[in-house]
Amino acid sequence: MKQSITLGNVGRFMGLGFLGTLKDLFTGNLQREDFISFLRKVIVPLASILLFIGLWHLGAKALYQREANFKIEKALADQGPEAADAMRACIASGDLSCQPNTLPAPSQVWDSYKSLLKDHRAISADKAEFKQKTAALNKKRVAAGEAPITYTGRPSFIDQIIMSLKTVFAGFLLALVIAVPLGVLIGLSPTLKSAFNWFIQIFKPVSPVVWYLLVFMIVKTILIDSNDDSSFIISFISVGFCSMWATLVNTAMGVSSVDKDYLNVAKVLKLGPIQNVFKVILPSALPLIFTGLKITLSVAWMVLIAIELLAQSPGLGSFVWEEFQNGANDSNSKIIVAMFVIGIIGFLLDRIMLTIQNAVSFNKNEGI
């Protein structure tokens, strides 16, 4: 039997339903409702992106001109007309030594993005060359029971992104391991709920900076005899403790609010406590648990930047702070690149959690 796959079917299969809409648009089969939906889901977002870039460009240009005028007026007031003319000519020439250092334009941010990728390729080549040069020596050192020589050069922007992702996922897993079992116990027992309520209410609003300092006090003492870098351990534990509260509260709420009819059926079927938890309570509480996990992952990604900065751990937090302190002409645009990367990764993490939730839960939703 011959089967055919239409463009619309492919689009729906891949989650790109607008491809089918485009086909209908060009073939004249598009209904009014579908056209309105197409405008809302494709054209309006594209138009809003273009509007955002346009306003950003105009705002950056206005700020640039404001700071340029200030530099010229200051030169005029301090050194006279000749200095003001020289400053005006210097700014017009594009000389980096006198350019206003303000909000970068979209084109500058794009140039910095390409520069960071070029820098990553150069560092990757250096790493490969170093690995090749030290391969024979490291083989002998490992055979002799010695530690291999490792590359100690600066990390690239991509390396720092990967390090941040490792830290946030380690912190998220720590939050998951602590919050879900504890939330189930609290949700099942009113006594435990009363016992832990004060603890949750007091420690939930604590600042990431304070959590970092607390974890630092404990970890540095535990690892006092170790020569290893503890910044990663301190960072992911701090991230986990900062972000676990939404999962803890939502898990407890979901477990305690399971429909009584489900529990009565479990009693009729004479399910044991463990079976009751895994076959009745957890499946019923999954929507709220995943809502908590989504919030936890979002909070973990947000607090990560501040914690990496404090812990001096390689990652996006350190990158942003180093660029801010660097004060180079392209530092601002690199910070904006990092801002977009942080936002896009945060969005993708949320979509991943939503996909997993829809795969394991009966309640489907499209998110925001």
Side-chain angles (χ1 to χ4, degrees):
M1 179 178 177
K2 186 177 179 180
Q3 294 179 340
S4 62
I5 302 177
T6 65
L7 180 62
N9 291 333
V10 172
R12 283 187 287 273
F13 176 73
M14 299 181 65
L16 302 174
F18 68 89
L19 292 178
T21 306
L22 283 174
K23 179 206 169 193
D24 292 337
L25 178 64
F26 289 115
T27 56
N29 297 325
L30 189 65
Q31 301 296 322
R32 175 181 171 83
E33 294 79 7
D34 293 332
F35 180 68
I36 293 174
S37 177
F38 174 73
L39 289 177
R40 186 182 298 116
K41 292 183 178 181
V42 179
I43 303 301
V44 171
L46 288 176
S48 66
I49 291 172
L50 293 175
L51 177 62
F52 170 77
I53 293 175
L55 291 174
W56 175 11
H57 174 77
L58 293 174
K61 186 176 180 180
L63 291 172
Y64 177 92
Q65 194 60 48
R66 177 179 173 82
E67 187 166 340
N69 292 337
F70 174 80
K71 282 176 172 283
I72 294 169
E73 290 172 4
K74 190 172 188 304
L76 177 63
D78 294 345
Q79 302 174 35
E82 292 183 0
D85 291 339
M87 177 61 71
R88 185 180 292 105
C90 182
I91 293 173
S93 69
D95 189 343
L96 296 180
S97 63
C98 57
Q99 291 301 301
N101 190 19
T102 182
L103 177 69
S107 58
Q108 292 174 286
V109 173
W110 179 250
D111 289 340
S112 291
Y113 167 73
K114 292 189 291 185
S115 172
L116 288 170
L117 289 184
K118 182 180 179 181
D119 181 64
H120 168 69
R121 287 191 288 269
I123 292 176
S124 297
D126 289 342
K127 286 182 181 179
E129 184 180 356
F130 175 84
K131 186 176 180 180
Q132 185 178 4
K133 287 181 178 180
T134 58
L137 178 59
N138 280 337
K139 188 176 180 180
K140 294 179 181 179
R141 289 178 65 90
V142 171
E146 299 177 356
I149 301 172
T150 57
Y151 181 81
T152 56
R154 65 183 180 87
S156 70
F157 182 60
I158 304 299
D159 295 331
Q160 290 171 307
I161 292 174
I162 293 171
M163 190 63 194
S164 289
L165 287 171
K166 289 179 180 178
T167 304
V168 81
F169 276 118
F172 175 74
L173 289 175
L174 177 65
L176 174 66
V177 169
I178 295 174
V180 172
L182 189 57
V184 171
L185 292 175
I186 292 173
L188 290 174
S189 172
T191 303
L192 285 177
K193 183 178 180 180
S194 299
F196 278 95
N197 186 55
W198 68 270
F199 181 84
I200 296 171
Q201 298 307 323
I202 289 176
F203 288 103
K204 183 172 65 172
V206 172
S207 165
V209 177
V210 179
W211 276 116
Y212 164 76
L213 295 174
L214 176 64
V215 173
F216 176 79
M217 295 174 201
I218 298 171
V219 172
K220 78 176 182 65
T221 305
I222 294 174
L223 301 179
I224 196 168
D225 295 328
S226 174
N227 294 323
D228 296 332
D229 184 13
S230 59
S231 61
F232 173 75
I233 298 174
I234 294 172
S235 295
F236 90 77
I237 293 177
S238 302
V239 167
F241 283 172
C242 286
S243 60
M244 71 178 188
W245 305 103
T247 297
L248 178 59
V249 171
N250 278 42
T251 301
M253 187 182 302
V255 170
S256 63
S257 60
V258 172
D259 196 322
K260 300 300 179 184
D261 291 339
Y262 297 161
L263 299 177
N264 292 333
V265 170
K267 289 179 182 178
V268 171
L269 295 175
K270 297 181 180 180
L271 297 180
I274 303 298
Q275 289 179 310
N276 190 28
V277 168
F278 284 97
K279 293 188 176 182
V280 178
I281 293 174
L282 283 179
S284 300
L286 269 182
L288 272 176
I289 292 174
F290 265 94
T291 298
L293 288 173
K294 283 176 60 182
I295 297 172
T296 287
L297 189 55
S298 297
V299 172
W301 186 242
M302 284 191 293
V303 303
L304 172 71
I305 306 304
I307 288 174
E308 281 183 336
L309 189 155
L310 292 168
Q312 296 298 302
S313 175
L316 287 169
S318 297
F319 173 83
V320 170
W321 182 246
E322 287 169 4
E323 289 299 331
F324 175 75
Q325 288 187 313
N326 184 21
N329 192 263
D330 63 345
S331 290
N332 288 355
S333 55
K334 288 181 179 179
I335 291 173
I336 301 297
V337 171
M339 183 188 75
F340 276 106
V341 168
I342 291 167
I344 291 170
I345 292 176
F347 168 76
L348 293 176
L349 292 176
D350 182 79
R351 295 298 99 178
I352 290 170
M353 288 301 300
L354 183 64
T355 302
I356 297 173
Q357 177 181 350
N358 288 337
V360 302
S361 174
F362 291 109
N363 294 346
K364 314 294 182 185
N365 64 80
E366 298 181 357
I368 297 176

